[in-house]
Amino acid sequence: MEKRQFGTIGEVSRLTLGGGGIGQVWGDTSREEGIATLKMAVDSGIDVIDAAPGYRVCEALIGEAFGGHLPNGVRITTKCGIGSPPAEEVYPRLRASLEQSLTAMRLERVDLFFLHNEICPDDFVYPVDNERRSEFATAWSLFRGAVVPAFERLQQEGLIGAWGITGVGVPDTIIRALEHTQRPQAVQAVANLLDSPGGLTRLRTPARPREIIATAQNNGVGVMGIRAVQAGALTNAFDRPLEPDHPEAVDFGRAAPLQASVRSVGWQAGHHRTPLRPHHAGRRHARPRRQESRRVASMPRCRGGRSALAGGDRRDRCTAAAMMRADPGPLIGVSGWVSMLDSLSKRSPAKRCQLWSVRPLAGRGKPGLAVRPVLPAALPPPMYPPPEEFRRRVDNG
């Protein structure tokens, strides 16, 4: 497992285990499989586990899997969404939520505590559900005057090592928070081929995730990528019913020309005849794996887009995860896309995936890993062409 500097928090594994899958957010998962996945993640070199109270049984499974004694070097994150309560209630609410999480995970502290809701200007009007704004968004003045001091107090009390924010919502306010004197140590930012947060926000204006990531990097704030396959929109099928106007369904339609481009290449359902090579930032090709035909970066039918992909052959310059790692390659990785568009329905439920930057896990009767990438330097402008250009380049080899 390769390591990466995560802002001021320190060096962590390139991949992070997201807790939504084991917490049954995206479908039924057995207790046994959840615990086995947690243990396999750590055994595979992953040393950050991203939890949240909203991930249902995730925190309880962490407590059961490790019994309150985390393996050496493993870090835990959790979250709390508070909206915009009266200022005097901010610290008590954050503290109460954190204590419940610590009890569930059988821990005395967490390494990173995220604000799990949007931040917006005081006078901002949401186009949808604005009457409920205080439930899902924290006003800027409250964030600056009460939330930040509350986080810093929790740090002083030794209950958290660092704090972060969710980088989804009103881009200017997120950027303002990242540039603030009392800035967070981490931000969870959207990182997918559509630059789309989907249903995470009620806004339908550009999310500007690349600006958010660039601002974070310029200010020494660690970035954790989320929505790698946009909750299923960047796969060949959803695992749940959606209305046609649902944000994920709309994004699925946006990706249709690209899906057709990938299928036109003629790859066979996620298999490739040449040996695959893991992709590593900083060099174009890494050592080849065993010389045998194998499934390309296989993932299950997507449950929520909490997974990052990496892998491919000599032509595989930029899969979803490779793009997040700011690879200079101009093309979306063909085999990576085949895995997303053609192989997903071939696997059993969304607890298995294969990531070349970890080790092959799928197809061996073992639980797999749904992960999030920890992003390096700021992403450049979009490195992938529009669908028409993509098809032309594929046709031309």
Side-chain angles (χ1 to χ4, degrees):
M1 172 62 66
E2 295 187 18
K3 300 289 186 177
R4 171 145 295 145
Q5 187 68 28
F6 188 27
T8 60
I9 295 169
E11 193 176 65
V12 301
S13 57
R14 165 174 270 173
L15 301 178
T16 297
L17 180 66
I22 61 175
Q24 302 180 4
V25 172
W26 306 109
D28 292 336
T29 303
S30 70
R31 165 189 165 277
E32 291 76 15
E33 188 168 20
I35 291 174
T37 298
L38 283 162
K39 292 182 177 180
M40 178 167 281
V42 173
D43 290 343
S44 299
I46 289 177
D47 59 18
V48 180
I49 300 173
D50 184 52
Y55 298 164
R56 302 181 184 176
V57 299
C58 170
E59 293 181 332
L61 288 180
I62 291 173
E64 188 171 352
F66 303 114
H69 301 285
L70 295 174
N72 186 42
V74 171
R75 293 177 170 90
I76 298 290
T77 80
T78 192
K79 309 175 183 72
C80 177
I82 60 170
S84 293
E88 63 273 14
E89 295 182 15
V90 169
Y91 171 78
R93 288 196 187 188
L94 287 173
R95 170 104 190 204
S97 176
L98 178 60
E99 288 178 344
Q100 290 177 359
S101 295
L102 293 174
T103 299
M105 294 186 286
R106 309 181 194 180
L107 300 174
E108 295 182 355
R109 71 186 292 276
V110 294
D111 298 276
L112 183 56
F113 193 28
F114 282 102
L115 177 65
H116 207 191
N117 58 243
E118 299 185 18
I119 307 170
C120 68
D122 290 359
D123 58 352
F124 190 78
V125 177
Y126 281 86
V128 179
D129 294 335
N130 189 66
E131 67 278 4
R132 297 177 51 237
R133 193 188 78 165
S134 63
E135 300 175 19
F136 59 79
T138 298
W140 170 253
S141 61
L142 183 68
F143 172 78
R144 183 184 59 186
V147 174
V148 172
F151 276 131
E152 293 183 339
R153 180 176 173 183
L154 291 170
Q155 277 185 288
Q156 295 169 1
E157 294 169 343
L159 295 176
I160 65 175
W163 63 277
I165 62 174
T166 301
V168 175
V170 183
D172 287 337
T173 310
I174 298 167
I175 291 172
R176 187 179 182 185
L178 296 173
E179 293 176 335
H180 192 251
T181 303
Q182 297 169 294
R183 64 180 65 96
Q185 285 81 57
V187 59
Q188 289 196 326
V190 168
N192 61 54
L193 298 176
L194 297 174
D195 287 350
S196 173
L200 284 182
T201 179
R202 291 159 175 80
L203 300 178
R204 295 297 173 261
T205 51
R208 297 159 54 191
R210 295 170 189 269
E211 293 181 50
I212 291 170
I213 293 171
T215 302
Q217 293 294 334
N218 290 339
N219 289 278
V221 178
V223 179
M224 184 181 290
I226 60 175
R227 290 269 162 157
V229 291
Q230 214 312 70
L234 293 174
T235 68
N236 72 329
F238 285 108
D239 62 350
R240 60 200 185 278
L242 293 175
E243 295 296 327
D245 60 348
H246 191 281
E248 271 69 82
V250 172
D251 279 348
F252 187 85
R254 292 174 59 201
L258 187 56
Q259 298 168 6
S261 297
V262 173
R263 290 191 179 97
S264 70
V265 178
W267 303 90
Q268 294 295 318
H271 287 84
H272 196 280
R273 291 188 295 273
T274 61
L276 301 181
R277 302 167 186 271
H279 183 103
H280 296 283
R283 61 180 187 271
R284 182 160 306 176
H285 304 302
R287 59 186 182 280
R289 292 188 178 272
R290 291 192 300 273
Q291 305 294 306
E292 60 184 65
S293 176
R294 65 176 74 213
R295 187 172 296 274
V296 178
S298 299
M299 282 184 57
R301 190 178 293 270
C302 175
R303 294 184 186 272
R306 297 293 175 118
S307 299
L309 300 179
D313 65 359
R314 291 179 182 275
R315 293 162 61 184
D316 196 10
R317 297 286 302 284
C318 184
T319 61
M323 186 194 73
M324 294 176 211
R325 295 197 295 269
D327 180 83
L331 288 177
I332 297 168
V334 172
S335 55
W337 269 100
V338 168
S339 70
M340 285 190 281
L341 302 176
D342 293 319
S343 295
L344 303 183
S345 61
K346 306 295 183 182
R347 313 303 284 181
S348 56
K351 311 103 182 179
R352 297 182 175 86
C353 69
Q354 186 170 347
L355 295 147
W356 301 118
S357 37
V358 186
R359 60 188 171 113
L361 298 176
R364 298 188 179 186
K366 298 178 180 179
L369 306 175
V371 303
R372 294 176 175 175
V374 175
L375 303 187
L379 295 180
M383 294 167 290
Y384 49 91
E388 311 77 38
E389 174 67 8
F390 180 81
R391 179 183 290 277
R392 185 187 66 78
R393 295 189 190 183
V394 168
D395 290 343
N396 292 336

